[in-house]
Amino acid sequence: MVAAYRPSLVICYAPCINHGIKVGMGRTQHEEAKAVECGYWHLWRFNPAEEEAGKNGFHLDSKEPDWSKFQDFIMGEVRYNSLLKTFPAEAKELFAKTEQFAKLRYEGYKKLSEEK
C-alpha cells in the first residue's frame, strides 16, 4: 500500500516584535501557551480523510479556557497597552468585545467538534 500524503495548512499565533511582548521575544513559546490557556487562541485540527470516511474531521484540542486570564494576557502586549493609554474608554470597550468574540469562537469550535 502506498501512503497518500496530503498538504498541511498551519494557522498559528506567532508573536512578533511588533506585538511588543513585555516579557521579551525570548519567551514567545510561553506567550503562545498563555494565549491558548486564556482563550485568546484555540488549538484545533482538521483531517479531511476522516470526513471522507464519514467521521468528524474537526478536533478541538484546546481545553476550556480560563477566561479570567484573558484581559491580563492582552495587557502583556504593548500594542494593547498603547491603545489603552491613548483611548482608555474605547480600549476597554474593544477589549471586552475581543474577549466576547473569543468566547463565541470557542463555542463554535466546540459545536463543530461534537458533530456527527
Side-chain angles (χ1 to χ4, degrees):
M1 181 169 110
V2 176
Y5 295 100
R6 296 182 182 205
S8 296
L9 172 65
V10 177
I11 302 170
C12 60
Y13 171 71
C16 71
I17 198 161
N18 290 330
H19 289 177
I21 299 170
K22 289 182 175 183
V23 295
M25 287 302 294
R27 304 267 303 155
T28 57
Q29 288 180 323
H30 176 71
E31 198 69 10
E32 292 161 356
K34 284 173 46 178
V36 172
E37 180 184 13
C38 76
Y40 183 84
W41 192 261
H42 310 292
L43 300 177
W44 55 269
R45 57 197 155 90
F46 177 73
N47 183 345
E50 289 182 12
E51 193 164 78
E52 291 168 5
K55 299 176 185 175
N56 185 356
F58 183 85
H59 302 277
L60 178 63
D61 296 323
S62 295
K63 297 181 216 171
E64 183 77 33
D66 183 349
W67 298 109
S68 69
K69 296 179 179 181
F70 191 91
Q71 296 299 320
D72 286 340
F73 172 77
I74 63 175
M75 287 297 102
E77 295 187 4
V78 174
R79 61 185 176 152
Y80 290 109
N81 275 311
S82 61
L83 180 62
L84 184 63
K85 289 177 184 176
T86 309
F87 303 102
E90 294 88 345
K92 288 179 183 180
E93 181 181 336
L94 290 171
F95 297 164
K97 284 184 180 185
T98 300
E99 184 174 343
Q100 176 188 3
F101 291 144
K103 289 176 180 178
L104 288 172
R105 273 192 312 278
Y106 183 76
E107 289 304 316
Y109 291 152
K110 271 177 47 176
K111 286 179 185 174
L112 280 173
S113 69
E114 295 165 355
E115 289 180 358
K116 289 191 182 180

